[in-house]
Amino acid sequence: MKENYLLIWPRSQGVKHINYHFSQFGEYINYLEKELSKKVFYRDGDIKGEYGYDDVTQLLSFIREENIKKIVMHIDYENAGNSKDLIELIKKVFPDVLIMGYGNIPRLYPSLFNDLPIDALASVGHDQRCILSFFKDYQVNGDVSNLKGLKVKSKDGKVFVDTSDGEFIEASSWTYTPIELSKVYYDEINHARYVLNVSTGCPFNCEHCLLQLNEGRVERRRTIESIDEALNVIEKDFPYVEFFAANLTLDQNYVLQLCEMIKRKHPNITWGCATRIDEVTRIKSKNLVMDDSELLKVMSDAGCSLIGLGVESVTGNYNTIHTKDFVFDRTDKAIRNIQEANITAKAMIMLRIPNQTRQDVINTLYYLSTMNTFIRPTLYTPYHKIDVNNISLYDLYKYNRKKRPDSEESPVLGVSNAQFDMLLINPNDYIDILNVTKDELDFASNVVNAGSNVRKLKIG
């Protein structure tokens, strides 16, 4: 019986990030099957049905029945503890099965896996290239010269050692998630949205973001032809597409080509994207073909209906959080430019920022509510400052960006645990949730309407 390979997304603890599972899993599986010329199985602990698993007994039976010999697990903050348990169980039942981990945790904290019976970790380069290398070339104590971007256990089994530099896959080889897999996840989240990755890498260096860790600082973009090919399949089942990129409007010429192609060949789709505040407020120069305000109108004409921006927090001394350091009026201009192009602005804010106060939270939510933006809160996480020597894989779930752990005190002074949890779900109801006083609202109004003094306020 031939040997088979399996990708697993172990069950999350607390909040699930289902809407991004299928875009990553789907593109990885499509890429791997093309490169290996064989089927790659997958199971996701956060979904139900054929491609999920209700309990580990069911998963173990599947591994046995399909003769799975190599397993790769996605390991992140929300499922690190469950991943540890699953690795140990699989190795106990199937000691000859080889296991590799990929994701943020193996890259950031490889030493946390030293005592686990896991064989390899993704370390450098695109994850799917590391996975391919593991499936094709990894053998216990074998030749490591052909391995790409992996850390493997030393011969004494005590620590992980590097093999060779990883590789970043050229955009011409990128694939897209099969429609049948997308539908599985659509049923789970009840949202007819298809996520298509259109770029990897980011030239910026925000400390609350891990994109550079996984994808590098060089931005690589899917070709317009590849997007067209994907849309030919996607639009039959998904009328709304999210073009997933850290900074879509960074390259104006690329966006103009994208919009021209969509208007000409796919005029019935609507789509959304994300970008930075300083990439929708620029004016025409020798490096820019038009003002960003004009580019936004072109995007709107081509079906763009939503743009996400990292707004983070409004405060009177916001200058030590991360590297963006935008003044308030530029953020205000970014939101207005988007809205004047008839596009919805989604403001992505952060709670749990160091020294963030109750009034800072009120200022932020007051401002964004008056601007009629869609508000998406997450938790600030200082990823690179976590003391790896004093934390276990079980503890990492507390850094899940969407849920405060039950054991943790409310991280914002003057906001109770219950209020904090409700803000993550219903930020627009902040006045009722926080029992905001008239004085607090008046203060927020004065901050937002501070006139010439507004430039002293920082916004992320």
Side-chain angles (χ1 to χ4, degrees):
M1 185 176 181
K2 66 179 180 179
E3 297 182 353
N4 286 315
Y5 306 146
L6 173 66
L7 290 182
I8 301 177
W9 197 301
R11 186 169 288 122
S12 298
Q13 182 176 355
V15 174
K16 308 170 185 178
H17 301 290
I18 291 290
N19 50 328
Y20 293 112
H21 286 213
F22 75 90
S23 59
Q24 182 193 108
F25 245 26
E27 291 188 18
Y28 286 13
I29 291 165
N30 203 347
Y31 168 79
L32 292 167
E33 289 185 340
K34 287 184 177 180
E35 294 294 322
L36 294 167
S37 298
K38 66 179 295 181
K39 181 176 179 60
V40 175
F41 294 96
Y42 59 93
R43 288 295 182 267
D44 188 335
D46 285 341
I47 67 170
K48 301 182 185 302
E50 178 183 357
Y51 301 110
Y53 60 90
D54 294 327
D55 57 53
V56 293
T57 302
Q58 182 184 30
L59 185 61
L60 294 175
S61 297
F62 179 81
I63 293 171
R64 181 180 293 107
E65 291 166 3
E66 296 296 340
N67 197 34
I68 302 296
K69 293 301 181 182
K70 287 185 177 180
I71 294 174
V72 172
M73 292 187 192
H74 179 274
I75 306 174
D76 216 319
Y77 290 87
E78 62 267 25
N79 71 358
N82 288 336
S83 298
K84 177 182 183 298
D85 292 342
L86 190 57
I87 290 166
E88 292 176 332
L89 177 62
I90 290 174
K91 278 290 192 176
K92 181 179 179 180
V93 178
F94 306 106
D96 294 331
V97 169
L98 303 177
I99 302 177
M100 170 189 147
Y102 80 95
N104 292 322
I105 306 305
R107 289 180 184 252
L108 272 174
Y109 319 118
S111 63
L112 292 179
F113 297 86
N114 285 344
D115 296 330
L116 279 181
I118 187 171
D119 301 281
L121 304 172
S123 179
V124 182
H126 279 147
D127 278 327
Q128 58 268 50
R129 184 64 185 89
C130 296
I131 296 170
L132 177 65
S133 183
F134 177 75
F135 282 157
K136 286 183 63 177
D137 301 315
Y138 177 78
Q139 299 295 330
V140 177
N141 295 325
D143 182 10
V144 301
S145 61
N146 291 327
L147 298 178
K148 301 296 182 183
L150 300 181
K151 287 182 181 292
V152 299
K153 274 289 179 66
S154 57
K155 290 188 177 181
D156 61 12
K158 293 183 178 180
V159 296
F160 282 92
V161 295
D162 292 317
T163 55
S164 63
D165 289 339
E167 293 180 347
F168 293 96
I169 302 170
E170 292 303 318
S172 58
S173 297
W174 293 4
T175 59
Y176 53 90
T177 302
I179 290 296
E180 59 271 17
L181 179 55
S182 298
K183 287 181 177 180
V184 169
Y185 285 92
Y186 164 52
D187 291 340
E188 188 74 23
I189 63 176
N190 194 29
H191 182 22
R193 173 180 64 172
Y194 186 102
V195 181
L196 181 67
N197 289 305
V198 297
S199 82
T200 65
C202 179
F204 304 103
N205 192 32
C206 300
E207 72 171 36
H208 61 268
C209 179
L210 293 176
L211 193 147
Q212 283 190 351
L213 175 73
N214 297 301
E215 300 178 2
R217 297 197 68 168
V218 176
E219 192 186 54
R220 297 168 177 82
R221 296 207 168 200
R222 186 184 293 271
T223 65
I224 302 299
E225 292 75 19
S226 174
I227 297 176
D228 177 30
E229 177 186 344
L231 290 178
N232 284 330
V233 178
I234 294 167
E235 66 179 343
K236 299 173 185 176
D237 296 281
F238 293 89
Y240 181 85
V241 178
E242 180 181 341
F243 293 129
F244 194 75
N247 316 288
L248 185 69
T249 59
L250 176 64
D251 184 340
Q252 280 194 347
N253 287 315
Y254 180 90
V255 176
L256 289 171
Q257 293 175 44
L258 174 65
C259 291
E260 189 279 330
M261 182 273 292
I262 291 174
K263 286 187 68 175
R264 179 166 49 86
K265 304 187 73 172
H266 308 280
N268 295 322
I269 71 162
T270 55
W271 53 279
C273 65
T275 193
R276 284 168 54 99
I277 286 166
D278 55 347
E279 291 166 8
V280 287
T281 54
R282 299 166 297 184
I283 59 174
K284 183 178 179 180
S285 66
K286 64 179 181 180
N287 296 319
L288 297 172
V289 297
M290 61 178 65
D291 292 354
D292 278 334
S293 58
E294 294 302 312
L295 179 69
L296 291 167
K297 293 174 183 176
V298 174
M299 294 168 66
S300 178
D301 288 342
C304 180
S305 62
L306 183 144
I307 295 178
L309 294 173
V311 172
E312 324 311 3
S313 180
V314 180
T315 173
N317 59 350
Y318 190 85
N319 55 13
T320 59
I321 304 305
H322 57 74
T323 58
K324 293 180 185 177
D325 200 33
F326 299 130
V327 293
F328 182 89
D329 62 335
R330 190 162 194 184
T331 302
D332 192 67
K333 180 64 173 174
I335 293 174
R336 293 182 187 278
N337 279 353
I338 291 170
Q339 292 176 335
E340 287 170 5
N342 198 31
I343 299 172
T344 297
K346 179 169 78 171
M348 295 176 281
I349 68 170
M350 287 187 180
L351 303 174
R352 195 167 65 184
I353 293 172
N355 303 315
Q356 187 179 47
T357 68
R358 170 186 169 91
Q359 187 64 57
D360 294 335
V361 173
I362 293 170
N363 293 350
T364 304
L365 295 173
Y366 173 86
Y367 166 64
L368 296 174
S369 296
T370 61
M371 293 296 288
N372 294 315
T373 64
F374 178 83
I375 305 171
R376 192 208 72 175
T378 57
L379 298 176
Y380 170 83
T381 298
Y383 295 113
H384 303 285
K385 297 180 181 180
I386 294 173
D387 184 0
V388 70
N389 296 313
N390 291 297
I391 199 167
S392 73
L393 289 168
Y394 291 115
D395 296 326
L396 288 172
Y397 82 98
K398 70 176 62 175
Y399 295 104
N400 188 328
R401 294 183 301 110
K402 293 294 289 183
K403 187 181 189 320
R404 177 193 60 81
D406 295 336
S407 60
E408 180 184 84
E409 292 294 324
S410 174
V412 179
L413 185 65
V415 179
S416 72
N417 288 356
Q419 289 172 330
F420 190 87
D421 293 342
M422 287 190 287
L423 281 180
L424 284 172
I425 300 171
N426 298 306
N428 291 304
D429 295 335
Y430 75 99
I431 293 177
D432 292 333
I433 291 172
L434 295 176
N435 297 315
V436 177
T437 67
K438 182 178 183 302
D439 287 344
E440 288 173 326
L441 277 182
D442 287 345
F443 186 91
S445 177
N446 289 334
V447 167
V448 172
N449 298 296
S452 60
N453 292 326
V454 83
R455 290 182 177 274
K456 297 178 182 178
L457 301 176
K458 299 292 184 179
I459 199 163

